[in-house]
C-alpha cells in the first residue's frame, strides 16, 4: 500500500496545507513579473526561484491557474520532432518531466505509454523516416515500424481504417507519455509559492509601461507594479499582450479543439496520432479516451466549440476503431492556439529591454512546460537567451531563418 | 456550423468556404527596405478585433472580403474586393 | 415482490404486452414501454449498479438520465443507461463496474477503506519511489473506467439529416408546449423536441395526488399534434448549441441538424439531492423520480417512505405517494418557517406527521448497504448545516424521497453565451443576458408555478415574433410568488461523511472543504481537483450543490462563485451518431476503370486516385517499377496524367499575369511554344511548377501539379482580383484528359494515329500543336520531364479512354506499356528534375534547388522576388545535388530521408533515391552542405541501420541517351 495515504486514515483534522497562498495585494515592485499562470509561467517562476535564487517574483493570472491551454490539451509528452534543435529541446523537456513527480512531490501520473505516429501513405512514411533519422542522431528513441508492430501494440485497431486509408507503418517513439495536465500547473505553483513567489489569480494585466525601449512596470486590475522584467507566457493571449508593448509577431490564433469519452475499462495502452486522419487519441488513467484533432480552419480568439470538429474527429475514430460506434462523447472543449508560420515556438529576448516572450506554442505547448520554464528563467536571470532556445528567437523571421519544423508539416500529402 | 454570406451566392454554411487569411496591403517592393518587407511577409496584425479577411467560396470559386470581429466571430460585411462598401454607396447615389 | 401499481391514468406502459429479460442472471418480466430500470423496480429490484470509485450499491436517483447510477451492459453494448433505455425482449443485462456481480461485487471493500482515499489522493501517493509508480499505475488503471468495451461491437454509422425552422423549442413541458402553440399560431414554422418518448414534461408526473392538471396536458398535446406548423421530435435531445442557431437533435436512429432562426430553451430544471449521510443508498431517490416511477411506469417506489423536503414539492410528492397507496411514515421539512400551504394542510389532515425544521441526518442502511431500513431525523440548524443529534428520531422506512431544490437545465443557454444573475427569491441562477435569437422559458428562466410557466412560453414567443421582425405586445416574466422552490443550502454535516454531492464520482461534502483548504477554492479549480461534474452526467445533479458549498466555505454570495463552463454535450452522444456516415471524397480519371482492370496499384494524390504502377504476378513493386521504366527508356510507355491541374489564362493581360504569378518571362513567348513555370510564395519558398503553353496572343494554357492544383488555382484567382488585370481564368482540369506518351518509340506510336507531322523537326521539345486523333481534336505538347522524347496529348475528357485504348493498340508492336506515378518519379529522377513536395519542403527556396535559371530577377515583380533579393544576400545553408552510389555498391540501400552526415553533424538528407536500370547504378538527389556540392565530391549517407554509404556528386541528367 502506498504509505502516503495512511495519514489520511488516522482521523482528526484534515491537515493538508494550501498548495499556494491566496495572494490579494501585490507589493509595489518585483524583480520580475510573469504574465500568465499556466504551466509555462508557473514553471518559469519555479525555476527563477530554484535555479537562480530570484524569488521576488509575481505571477499574474487573469483567471485561475492552469485554466488556459494547460488545462485544455490532450496531455501528450513527446520529443519526436524534425529538427535537431527541436528534438534536443523537447528531449530536455521529457527528461525533466520524468523526474518531475518526485521533484514537485505531486503525482503527475506521468505515464510512459509509447507513441505511434501513423502513416497512411508512402510520402507520410518518408517523413516518418526523416524524423526517425534525426531523432536517432540526437539520441532520442524513435524508429519507423511496420504494421505488425502497430498491430501488436494496438490489436483492436482496424489497420485499413475501414478501407479508407490503410496504415502503412508508423513512427514509434518510445518515450511518448501522458500526464495529468492540471497537476503540472499545481505542482509548479506550490513549488514556486513555497520559495516566495507570489501568485495572483483573477488579476488582469491592463498595460505595460515602456520608457526608452525598456520595461518600467505593469498596470494590473490590482494596481500598478514596478518591475524591470516582464515575461509574457500567455499562449492564446500573446497578441493582446504584445499589442500593449507594440511588438510585432507572426503569431495567429486558431482554436484547437478536443473531446473526451465516457470512462471505460482501459484497453488502449499506447498514444496514437494520425496526421492524415487528423486524430490523436490516448486513454487516461480514469478510463476516458482523450481525443484531439487539427486546428480550426480560421483565426478566432475564443474557446467556443464547433460541431464540425466533433463530427470530423469521431468519423475518423470510428474508421480506426469501428467497435467504438456506440461509445459516447461526454464533453468537447477548445483552447486558443498561438500558431507560428514554422510550427516552432517564439522564445527569449525581444527588441524591448526587459520584455521576454514565451509564445507561439500552437499545439505543442504542454509537452514543453518544464523546459520552457527552465530556459526562460535562465533567460530572464541572465538577460541572455538560453542556448537551447536560440533557434526559437523572435528575430528569426526578419532574418529569414525559420526553423525547419515546417518542413515535416508540409511534406507528404 | 457558422453561416457566411458570399456576396455572389448568398448565405451558405461555413464548410463551403476557405479562410484566406488577413487582407494586407502590400508595401511597394521597390521602395521598401529589407526589414519593412520582411515585416510585411512575416508579421500579422494579430490582436483580436475587426479585421478585413480573405474568404473563398469554394463551390463557386468566389474570393471576397469579410469584415469580421475575430473576438466574437461576428461578420459585419462581406463584399467583393473590387466592390468595397464605399463604392456601393457611390453607385447607389449615382 | 412486485411493486407494480394498478393501472395509472396516462401511464407510458402497455400492460397487454409483456417483455421478458434478465438482469444479473435472474429472469424478469416487464411491459412494453418500460425502461430497463422501471421494469427492474417493478420486479422489486433495488440495487442497479455500483458507484465509480467506492463501489457502493446504487439504485434510482433521478430516473431521468441526470445520474449514472444504473449503467448496464447487454454483452454487446456497454454503459447503457438503464433509466431511459427502453426495455426490449430477450435483453440479458448486467451491471457494469462490478467484479463478481452487483450484489457480491468483490470491490465493495473500497468503500470501507475510503478514508485512505481523500479528495485528490492520487496526486499525493504512488509517485515515491518513482520506480514503483508503474506498478501502482497498473493497479489504478485496472480500477478505472466503467463498462468494458466490446471489441466486436459492429460498426454502426447513423444517418444525418438537416432540418430548418423559424423557432426551435427545446423541451415539451408546459412552457415548451405553450410556446410551440403560440409560435405556430403566429404563423411560424416550429420544431419541438423533447428527450422523453411522450410530450408533457413535468405535466406527466407532478400531480400532488390529483390529476386535474392532466386536462391541461391533454389539451396542449392535442393542439400541438393538430398544428400543421409544428413538427415534433420525441425521444430526441438537443445535444448542444452551436453558432448561428444550429442545434444537433439526437435520436436513436441518428442526428438531425436543426438550423433555426430563433431558439426557445424550455429545458426545465434538474431536481437536486439534499446532502446527508448515506443519501445514495438504494431506495433514497429524488421526489421527481418517485413521481415518474408511479405515473409513467405504474411502479411503487417503496412501501413505506419518508419524505425530506425544503420546498412545496415535497408535499406534492407525499400526496402522490399516498395516492399510489404508499405508506408515508413522515414528512421532514428542513425549513422552520411556519407557512402552511393547501398541500401541507391536506397532508396534515391525512394524518401524516410533519417534522418542521428537521432534516434527515442519516439514512439507515440495510445489510450490505443494499437498501434503507430507516431514517434518523433531527432538528436542523440551517446556519451551520448541522443536526441536533441529541433529539434524533428514528423513523422506519424502506425508501426516502428527496425534494430540496432545483438547478436550471441551462447547458444550451450557457453554450449560446448566456449571462446569469442569482435570484435570491428562488435561490437559482436565471438568465439576465441572452444572445440574439435565443430565449428561455419556464423553470430554466426561474418561473415555477404551472400557470406562470404556460404564460412564460407565450412571453418568449412574443419576443421571438418581435425578433423576427413582427410587432406584438411584449409581455414580462412573472415574478415567483410563495416560498422558494430551492433551499439555499440543503446540506447536513456528518462526522462519517458519505453525504454525497456528486454520485458519478463519489464526492462528499468534506472533499470540497478539504479541496478548498488546499487552495482549490474557486469553482473551476475545485471542479478539476475534486472532479465534481466531470463524470458522464456532467454535473446535472451536482454542480449547483458544489457552487453552494464553495460559496459557504468562502463566505461569498452564490453569485460571486459563478458557474463552471457548460460544454456540449447535453447528454453523452455516441460516436457513430456524431461521425455519421463518413465520406471519402476522391476523384477518378476517365481511364480509371481500365487501370483497375489492368491491375493498377493506386495511390492517393491530392483528391485523385492514380495508378502507382501496374502489378505483375510474381514481381515485386520495385521490379515492376524498373520494368515499366525500362519500357520507357528502351521503347515506349504511357501514363494517364489527366489529374494535372489545367488552367486557361485568357485576355490581353494574360502574359502580364503569368509574369507576375510565375518566376519566368512570358511576354515574348511565341504561340505554340511551351515554357517552364515556377511558383513561389511571398517568402520565396518553392511551391509548384508546370508548363505554360501559348495558344494564341492572348491565351495561355498552364499546367499545375496534381496535388497543388486546387490551391494554385485559388491563388491565381485571388491575385487576379488584386492585380485587376484584363484576364479571365478558366479551370479546365476536368475538361481535358491527358496521356503522356514517352520513350524513343513514342513518335512511331503516335505517328500512326495523329493527323499532323510530329517529327523532331516539326515538333521539337518546347513546341505544341493542335491535331486530331480519329477526328477528335487534341493538343500535343512536347515536354521532357520524364523522357527526352515525350508527347503530352490533351483531349476532351470524354475521349480519353478511347484514345488511351487506341494508343495501346497503335503501340502494340513497339511493346507500349502503361506506367504509374512511382515509375514516373524514377524517370523524372533519372533526368535530374526535382519534384516539388518530394525534393523540396515547406522552406526550400530556388537557390537551394540551384534553379536560379528559372528566376527572371530582372522583372519588375513576381511573387517571392523581393524575398529572394533578401535571401540572396545570405549564405546558403544547403543545396540540392544529384548523386550516384558506386556501381558496385553492395551495402544497405539508403532510403529517402536518410541523413547526410559529416563529422557527426547533419548536413542534409536524401530526397529521392532509386536504382536506375538505365543508368546501371543507384541515383538520387540530396541536400548537402554547400562545400559538399562540388562536382565529384563525396559525401556520406547514413542508412536506416546506421551504416554509411558514400555518394558522389555528379552532373544531371543521370540518363542522357537517345
Amino acid at each position: 500500500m502506498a504509505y502516503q495515504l495512511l495519514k489520511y486514515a488516522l482521523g482528526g483534522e484534515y491537515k493538508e496545507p494550501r498548495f499556494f497562498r491566496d495572494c490579494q495585494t501585490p507589493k509595489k515592485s518585483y524583480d520580475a513579473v510573469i504574465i500568465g499562470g499556466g504551466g509555462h509561467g508557473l514553471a518559469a517562476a519555479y525555476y527563477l526561484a530554484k535555479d537562480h535564487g530570484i524569488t521576488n517574483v509575481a505571477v499574474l493570472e487573469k483567471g485561475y491557474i492552469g485554466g488556459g491551454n494547460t488545462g485544455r490539451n490532450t496531455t501528450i509528452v513527446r520529443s519526436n520532432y524534425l529538427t535537431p534543435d527541436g528534438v534536443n529541446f523537447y528531449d530536455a523537456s521529457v527528461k525533466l518531466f520524468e523526474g518531475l513527480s518526485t521533484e514537485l512531490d505531486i503525482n503527475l501520473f506521468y505515464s510512459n505509454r509509447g507513441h505511434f505516429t501513423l502513416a497512411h501513405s508512402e510520402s507520410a512514411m518518408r517523413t516518418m523516416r526523416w524524423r526517425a533519422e534525426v531523432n536517432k542522431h540526437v539520441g532520442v528513441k524513435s524508429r519507423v515500424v511496420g504494421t505488425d508492430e502497430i498491430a501488436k501494440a494496438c490489436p483492436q485497431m482496424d489497420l485499413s481504417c475501414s478501407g479508407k486509408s490503410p496504415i502503412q507503418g508508423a513512427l514509434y517513439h518510445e518515450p511518448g507519455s501522458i500526464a495529468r495536465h492540471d497537476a503540472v500547473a499545481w505542482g509548479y505553483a506550490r513549488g514556486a509559492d513555497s520559495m516566495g513567489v507570489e501568485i495572483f489569480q483573477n488579476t488582469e494585466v491592463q498595460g505595460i509601461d515602456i520608457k526608452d525601449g525598456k520595461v518600467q512596470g505593469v498596470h494590473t486590475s490590482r494596481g500598478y507594479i514596478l518591475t524591470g522584467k516582464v515575461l509574457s507566457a500567455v499562449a492564446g493571449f500573446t497578441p493582446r499582450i504584445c499589442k500593449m508593448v507594440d511588438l510585432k509577431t507572426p503569431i495567429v490564433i486558431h482554436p484547437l479543439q478536443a473531446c473526451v469519452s465516457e470512462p471505460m475499462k482501459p484497453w488502449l495502452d499506447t498514444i496514437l496520432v494520425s496526421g492524415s486522419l487528423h486524430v490523436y487519441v490516448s486513454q487516461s488513467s480514469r478510463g476516458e479516451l482523450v481525443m484531439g484533432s487539427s486546428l480550426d480552419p480560421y483565426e478566432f480568439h475564443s474557446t467556443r466549440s464547433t460541431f464540425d470538429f466533433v463530427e470530423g474527429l469521431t468519423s475518423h475514430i470510428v474508421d480506426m476503431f469501428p467497435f467504438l460506434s456506440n461509445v459516447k462523447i461526454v464533453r468537447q472543449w477548445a483552447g486558443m492556439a498561438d500558431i507560428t508560420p514554422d510550427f516552432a515556438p517564439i522564445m527569449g529576448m525581444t527588441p524591448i529591454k526587459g520584455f521576454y516572450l514565451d509564445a507561439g506554442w500552437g499545439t505543442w505547448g504542454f509537452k514543453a512546460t518544464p523546459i520552457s520554464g527552465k530556459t526562460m528563467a535562465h533567460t530572464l536571470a541572465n538577460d541572455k537567451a538560453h542556448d537551447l532556445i536560440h533557434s526559437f528567437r523572435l528575430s528569426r523571421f526578419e532574418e529569414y531563418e525559420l526553423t525547419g519544423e515546417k518542413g515535416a508539416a508540409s511534406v507528404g500529402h | 456550423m457558422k453561416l457566411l454570406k458570399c456576396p455572389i451566392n448568398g448565405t451558405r454554411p461555413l464548410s463551403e468556404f476557405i479562410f484566406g487569411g488577413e487582407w494586407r496591403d502590400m508595401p511597394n517592393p521597390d521602395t521598401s527596405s529589407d526589414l519593412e518587407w520582411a515585416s510585411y511577409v512575416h508579421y500579422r496584425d494579430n490582436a483580436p478585433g475587426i479585421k478585413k479577411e480573405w474568404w473563398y467560396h469554394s463551390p463557386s470559386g468566389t474570393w471576397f472580403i469579410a469584415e469580421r470581429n475575430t473576438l466574437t466571430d461576428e461578420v459585419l460585411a462581406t463584399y467583393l474586393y473590387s466592390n468595397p462598401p464605399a463604392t456601393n454607396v457611390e453607385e447607389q447615389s449615382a | 415482490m412486485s411493486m407494480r401499481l394498478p393501472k395509472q391514468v396516462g401511464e407510458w406502459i402497455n400492460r397487454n404486452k409483456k417483455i421478458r429479460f434478465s438482469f444479473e442472471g435472474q429472469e424478469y418480466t416487464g411491459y412494453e414501454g418500460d425502461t430497463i430500470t422501471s421494469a427492474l423496480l417493478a420486479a422489486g429490484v433495488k440495487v442497479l449498479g455500483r458507484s465509480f470509485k467506492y463501489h457502493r450499491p446504487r439504485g434510482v436517483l433521478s430516473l431521468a438520465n441526470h445520474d449514472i447510477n444504473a449503467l448496464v451492459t447487454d454483452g454487446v453494448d456497454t454503459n447503457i443507461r438503464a433509466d431511459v433505455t427502453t426495455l426490449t425482449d430477450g435483453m440479458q443485462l448486467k451491471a457494469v463496474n462490478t467484479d463478481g456481480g452487483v450484489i457480491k461485487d468483490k470491490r465493495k471493500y473500497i468503500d470501507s477503506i475510503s478514508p485512505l482515499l481523500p479528495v485528490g489522493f492520487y496526486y499525493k501517493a504512488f509517485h515515491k519511489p518513482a520506480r514503483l509508480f508503474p506498478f501502482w499505475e497498473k493497479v489504478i488503471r485496472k480500477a478505472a473506467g466503467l463498462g468494458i468495451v466490446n471489441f466486436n461491437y459492429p460498426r454502426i454509422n447513423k444517418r444525418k439529416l438537416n432540418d430548418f425552422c423559424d423557432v426551435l423549442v427545446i423541451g415539451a413541458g408546459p412552457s415548451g408546449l405553450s410556446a410551440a402553440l403560440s409560435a405556430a399560431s403566429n404563423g411560424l414554422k416550429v420544431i419541438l423536441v423533447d428527450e422523453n418518448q411522450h410530450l408533457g414534461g413535468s405535466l406527466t408526473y407532478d400531480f400532488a395526488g390529483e390529476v386535474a392538471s392532466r386536462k391541461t396536458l391533454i389539451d396542449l398535446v392535442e393542439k400541438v399534434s393538430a398544428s400543421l406548423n409544428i413538427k415534433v421530435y420525441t425521444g430526441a435531445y438537443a445535444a448542444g448549441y452551436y453558432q448561428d442557431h444550429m442545434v444537433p437533435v439526437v435520436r436513436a436512429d441518428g442526428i438531425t441538424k436543426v438550423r433555426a432562426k430563433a431558439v426557445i430553451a424550455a429545458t426545465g430544471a434538474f431536481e437536486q439531492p439534499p446532502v446527508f449521510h448515506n443519501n445514495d443508498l438504494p431506495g433514497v431517490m429524488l421526489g421527481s423520480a418517485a413521481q415518474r416511477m408511479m405515473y409513467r411506469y405504474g411502479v411503487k417506489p417503496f412501501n413505506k417512505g419518508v419524505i425530506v423536503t425544503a420546498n412545496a414539492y415535497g408535499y406534492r410528492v407525499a400526496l402522490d405517494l399516498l395516492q399510489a397507496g404508499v405508506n408515508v411514515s413522515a414528512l421532514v421539512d428542513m425549513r422552520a418557517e411556519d407557512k402552511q400551504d393547501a398541500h401541507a394542510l391536506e397532508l396534515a389532515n391525512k394524518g401524516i406527521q410533519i417534522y418542521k425544521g428537521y432534516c434527515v441526518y442519516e439514512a439507515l442502511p440495510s445489510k450490505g448497504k443494499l437498501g434503507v431500513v430507516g431514517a434518523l431525523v433531527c432538528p436542523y440548524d440551517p446556519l451551520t448545516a448541522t443536526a441536533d443529534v441529541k433529539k434524533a428520531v428514528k423513523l422506519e422506512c424502506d425508501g426516502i424521497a428527496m425534494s430540496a431544490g432545483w438547478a436550471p437545465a441551462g447547458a444550451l443557454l450557457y453554450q449560446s453565451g448566456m449571462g446569469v444573475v442569482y435570484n435570491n427569491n428562488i435561490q437559482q441562477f436565471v438568465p439576465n443576458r441572452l444572445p440574439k435569437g435565443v430565449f428561455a422559458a419556464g423553470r430554466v428562466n426561474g418561473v415555477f408555478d404551472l400557470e406562470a410557466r404556460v404564460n412564460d412560453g407565450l412571453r418568449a414567443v412574443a419576443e421571438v415574433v418581435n425578433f423576427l421582425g413582427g410587432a406584438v405586445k411584449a409581455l414580462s416574466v412573472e415574478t415567483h410568488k410563495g416560498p422558494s422552490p430551492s433551499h439555499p443550502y440543503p446540506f447536513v454535516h456528518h462526522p462519517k461523511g458519505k453525504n454525497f454531492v456528486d454520485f458519478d464520482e463519489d464526492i462528499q461534502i468534506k472533499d470540497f472543504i478539504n479541496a478548498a483548504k488546499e487552495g482549490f477554492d474557486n469553482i473551476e479549480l475545485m471542479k478539476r481537483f475534486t472532479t465534481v461534474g466531470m463524470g458522464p452526467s456532467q454535473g446535472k445533479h451536482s454542480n449547483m450543490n458544489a457552487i453552494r458549498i464553495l460559496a459557504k466555505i468562502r463566505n461569498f454570495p452564490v453569485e460571486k462563485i459563478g458557474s463552471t463552463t457548460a460544454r456540449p454535450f447535453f447528454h453523452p452522444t455516441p460516436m457513430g451518431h456524431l461521425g455519421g456516415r463518413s465520406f471519402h471524397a476522391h476523384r477518378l480519371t476517365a481511364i480509371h476503370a481500365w487501370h483497375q482492370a489492368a491491375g493498377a496499384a493506386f495511390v492517393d494524390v491530392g483528391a485523385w486516385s492514380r495508378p502507382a504502377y501496374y502489378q505483375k504476378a510474381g514481381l515485386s513493386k520495385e521490379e515492376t517499377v524498373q520494368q515499366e521504366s525500362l519500357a520507357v527508356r528502351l521503347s515506349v510507355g504511357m501514363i494517364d496524367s489527366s489529374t494535372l491541374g489545367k488552367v486557361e489564362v485568357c485576355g490581353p493581360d494574360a502574359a502580364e499575369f503569368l509574369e507576375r504569378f510565375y518566376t519566368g518571362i512570358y511576354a515574348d513567348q511565341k504561340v505554340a511554344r511551351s515554357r517552364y513555370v515556377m511558383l513561389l510564395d511571398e517568402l520565396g519558398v518553392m511551391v509548384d511548377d508546370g508548363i505554360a503553353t501559348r495558344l494564341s496572343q492572348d491565351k495561355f494554357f498552364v499546367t499545375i501539379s496534381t496535388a497543388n492544383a486546387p490551391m494554385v488555382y485559388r491563388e491565381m484567382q485571388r491575385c487576379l482580383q488584386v492585380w485587376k488585370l484584363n484576364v479571365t481564368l478558366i479551370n479546365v482540369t476536368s475538361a481535358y484528359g491527358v496521356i503522356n506518351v514517352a520513350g524513343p518509340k513514342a513518335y512511331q506510336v503516335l505517328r500512326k494515329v495523329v493527323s499532323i507531322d510530329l517529327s523532331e523537326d516539326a515538333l521539337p521539345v518546347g513546341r505544341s500543336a493542335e491535331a486530331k486523333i480519329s477526328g477528335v481534336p487534341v493538343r500535343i505538347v512536347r515536354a521532357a520531364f520524364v523522357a527526352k522524347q515525350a508527347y503530352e496529348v490533351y483531349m476532351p475528357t470524354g475521349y480519353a479512354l478511347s484514345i488511351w485504348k487506341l494508343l495501346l493498340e497503335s503501340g502494340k508492336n513497339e511493346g507500349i506499356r502503361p506506367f504509374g506515378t512511382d515509375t514516373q518519379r524514377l524517370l523524372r529522377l533519372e533526368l535530374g528534375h526535382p519534384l516539388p513536395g518530394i525534393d523540396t519542403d515547406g522552406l526550400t527556396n530556388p537557390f537551394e534547388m540551384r534553379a536560379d535559371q528559372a528566376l527572371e530577377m530582372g522583372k519588375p515583380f513576381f511573387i517571392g522576388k523581393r524575398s529572394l533579393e533578401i535571401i540572396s544576400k545570405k549564405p546558403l545553408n544547403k543545396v540540392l545535388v544529384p548523386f550516384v552510389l558506386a556501381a558496385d555498391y553492395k551495402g544497405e540501400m539508403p532510403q529517402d530521408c536518410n541523413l547526410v552526415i559529416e563529422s557527426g553533424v547533419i548536413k542534409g538528407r536524401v530526397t529521392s533515391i532509386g536504382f536506375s536500370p538505365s543508368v546501371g547504378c543507384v541515383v538520387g538527389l540530396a541536400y548537402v552542405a554547400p562545400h559538399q556540392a562540388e562536382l565529384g565530391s563525396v559525401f556520406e549517407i547514413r542508412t536506416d541501420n546506421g551504416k554509411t554509404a558514400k555518394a558522389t556528386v555528379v552532373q544531371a541528367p543521370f540518363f542522357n541517351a537517345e
Side-chain angles (χ1 to χ4, degrees), chain C residues 716-738:
Chain C
M716 284 182 167
Q717 287 177 293
R718 168 151 56 181
C719 289
L720 182 57
Q721 283 220 15
V722 177
W723 296 336
K724 293 179 179 154
L725 295 173
N726 191 351
V727 164
T728 300
L729 300 169
I730 308 171
N731 189 338
V732 293
T733 300
S734 324
Y736 294 108
V738 186

Side-chain angles (χ1 to χ4, degrees), chain A residues 1-6 8-9 13-14 16-20 22 24 64-65 71-72 84 101-102 105-107 109-111 113 122 126-127 129-130 133-134 136-137 156 162 164 178 180 182-183 186 201 261-269 283-289 291 298 300 303-307 310-311 314-315 317-319 322-334 399-404 406-407 410-413, chain C residues 52 77 79 81 97 115-119 121-128 130 133 136-137 140-141 143-151 153-157 160 242-243 246 248 255 257 505 514 516-522 524-525 528-529 531 534-536 538 554 567-569 572-576 578-579 582 584 621 683 707 822 825 837-838 840-843 867 870-871 874 877 895-899 901 904 906 909 911 942-944:
Chain A
M1 193 67 213
Y3 72 90
Q4 291 100 329
L5 292 177
L6 282 173
Y8 303 118
E13 187 76 356
Y14 188 73
E16 292 292 288
R18 283 188 71 95
F19 262 62
F20 47 91
D22 184 15
Q24 295 291 334
Y64 56 97
I65 65 162
R72 294 167 193 273
S101 288
T102 308
D105 192 15
I106 181 168
N107 191 344
F109 271 71
Y110 187 80
S111 175
R113 315 222 64 87
E122 268 188 54
R126 299 177 83 230
T127 311
R129 178 175 293 107
W130 188 359
E133 290 302 308
V134 173
K136 276 192 271 179
H137 181 80
Q156 302 88 353
S162 295
K164 287 174 188 152
I178 51 176
R180 266 291 290 146
D182 294 332
W186 303 340
Q201 300 187 90
S261 78
E262 300 185 304
M264 62 200 95
K265 295 288 177 216
W267 56 272
L268 178 63
D269 293 329
Q283 189 169 17
S284 74
S285 53
R286 285 167 52 85
E288 302 153 326
L289 293 178
M291 295 170 277
Y298 65 96
F300 188 34
T303 55
R304 63 96 179 83
S305 298
T306 71
F307 196 57
V310 79
E311 284 183 294
T314 53
S315 143
I317 290 279
V318 173
D319 282 347
F323 60 88
L324 292 179
S325 293
N326 218 30
V327 165
K328 300 174 189 77
I329 302 292
V330 172
R331 186 169 62 242
Q332 65 171 130
W333 68 89
E399 295 159 6
Y400 281 79
E401 292 283 349
L402 276 62
T403 74
K406 190 179 181 184
S410 52
V411 171
H413 317 281
Chain C
F52 183 50
D77 196 5
N79 292 354
R81 297 190 173 207
N97 201 37
L116 290 171
L117 312 171
V119 62
F121 72 90
Y122 33 79
Y123 296 123
K124 297 169 184 167
F126 313 119
H127 59 295
K128 285 198 252 177
F133 177 64
W136 287 115
E137 193 193 3
I140 291 161
R141 269 179 94 81
L146 291 164
I148 297 165
V149 181
N150 171 10
F151 301 131
Y153 191 84
R155 178 195 175 92
I156 300 171
N157 294 113
K160 271 189 203 155
Y242 296 93
Q243 264 182 317
M246 203 286 278
I255 289 178
K257 295 194 253 181
E505 303 274 316
N514 294 342
K517 276 187 186 168
E518 292 193 52
F520 300 93
D521 53 2
N522 78 49
E524 290 286 358
L525 283 179
R528 282 161 176 73
F529 192 69
T531 71
M534 289 174 79
Q538 293 278 285
R554 301 212 60 181
R567 304 184 187 287
F569 296 102
T573 302
M575 293 203 239
L578 292 167
S582 59
H584 184 59
K621 175 182 145 183
L683 274 71
D822 278 11
R825 242 190 95 192
I838 297 281
T840 70
D841 63 45
L843 288 171
S867 287
I870 300 171
I871 295 166
K874 294 153 42 74
N877 290 324
Q895 306 282 330
D896 286 7
C897 292
N898 277 155
L899 301 176
I901 307 279
I906 302 174
R909 70 186 164 105
T911 60
R942 186 151 71 203
T943 62
D944 277 2

Side-chain angles (χ1 to χ4, degrees), chain A residues 223-288:
Chain A
Y224 185 67
I225 298 171
L226 281 168
T227 187
K229 289 185 177 186
V230 169
L231 167 63
S232 171
V234 296
F237 290 86
T238 300
R240 303 184 206 193
I241 297 295
C242 285
K243 197 174 183 178
M244 293 177 186
V245 296
D246 200 20
L247 183 68
K248 285 183 175 170
T249 74
I251 288 167
V252 184
I253 306 300
H254 285 246
L256 179 67
Q257 303 191 56
C259 63
V260 67
S261 78
E262 300 185 304
M264 62 200 95
K265 295 288 177 216
W267 56 272
L268 178 63
D269 293 329
T270 59
I271 307 162
L272 295 173
V273 177
S274 163
S276 22
L277 295 186
H278 306 297
V279 164
Y280 40 98
V281 55
S282 65
Q283 189 169 17
S284 74
S285 53
R286 285 167 52 85
E288 302 153 326

Side-chain angles (χ1 to χ4, degrees), chain C residues 357-411:
Chain C
Y358 273 64
C359 63
V360 172
Y361 177 62
E362 56 182 75
L364 303 169
S366 61
K367 191 163 174 278
K369 296 181 189 134
L370 299 175
V372 187
V373 295
L376 211 56
V377 307
C378 305
Y380 178 63
D381 178 1
L383 287 176
T384 55
T386 51
D388 184 353
V389 190
K390 279 180 243 132
K391 294 181 183 159
V393 180
K394 190 171 159 184
L395 303 172
E396 260 182 46
C397 63
D398 66 338
I400 299 174
M402 314 179 282
S403 285
W406 306 83

Side-chain angles (χ1 to χ4, degrees), chain A residues 207-219 224 226-230 244-246 351-355:
Chain A
I208 298 168
D209 268 357
I210 311 279
K211 205 175 149 194
D212 304 327
K214 195 178 175 321
V215 168
Q216 307 293 318
V218 180
H219 296 273
Y224 185 67
L226 281 168
T227 187
K229 289 185 177 186
V230 169
M244 293 177 186
V245 296
D246 200 20
I352 300 152
K353 191 153 172 47
F355 185 77

Side-chain angles (χ1 to χ4, degrees), chain B residues 7-94:
Chain B
I8 301 295
N9 300 283
T11 302
R12 309 292 308 162
L14 192 76
S15 57
E16 292 185 6
F17 296 89
I18 292 171
F19 177 57
E22 186 191 340
W23 174 85
R24 294 170 308 131
D25 206 3
M26 188 179 84
N28 185 338
D30 298 330
T31 56
S32 55
S33 70
D34 286 1
L35 193 60
E36 281 163 354
W37 184 262
S39 173
Y40 158 72
V41 295
H42 289 110
Y43 296 147
R44 296 291 178 271
D45 172 17
N46 42 22
I50 294 169
K51 302 278 178 62
K52 276 183 170 185
E53 295 173 333
W54 283 107
W55 285 84
Y56 182 74
H57 182 239
S58 212
S60 67
T62 313
W63 277 110
F64 61 94
I65 301 288
E67 289 182 12
R68 188 175 66 95
N69 186 334
T70 60
L71 193 60
T72 63
D73 216 9
E74 192 183 355
V75 179
L76 300 122
T78 57
Y79 47 85
L80 295 179
Y81 177 81
S82 55
N83 198 24
T87 325
N88 281 335
V89 174
E90 279 166 27
E91 277 171 2
Q92 277 158 17
S93 58

Side-chain angles (χ1 to χ4, degrees), chain C residues 509-550:
Chain C
I509 299 180
K510 69 169 185 197
D511 293 331
F512 293 92
I513 295 169
N514 294 342
K517 276 187 186 168
E518 292 193 52
F520 300 93
D521 53 2
N522 78 49
I523 191 65
E524 290 286 358
L525 283 179
M526 182 166 269
K527 172 182 167 178
R528 282 161 176 73
F529 192 69
T530 63
T531 71
V532 66
M534 289 174 79
S537 49
Q538 293 278 285
K540 289 186 180 71
H541 65 264
S542 60
N543 273 353
M544 195 58 226
N545 277 341
I547 292 166
R548 293 190 197 282
I549 296 173
L550 183 55

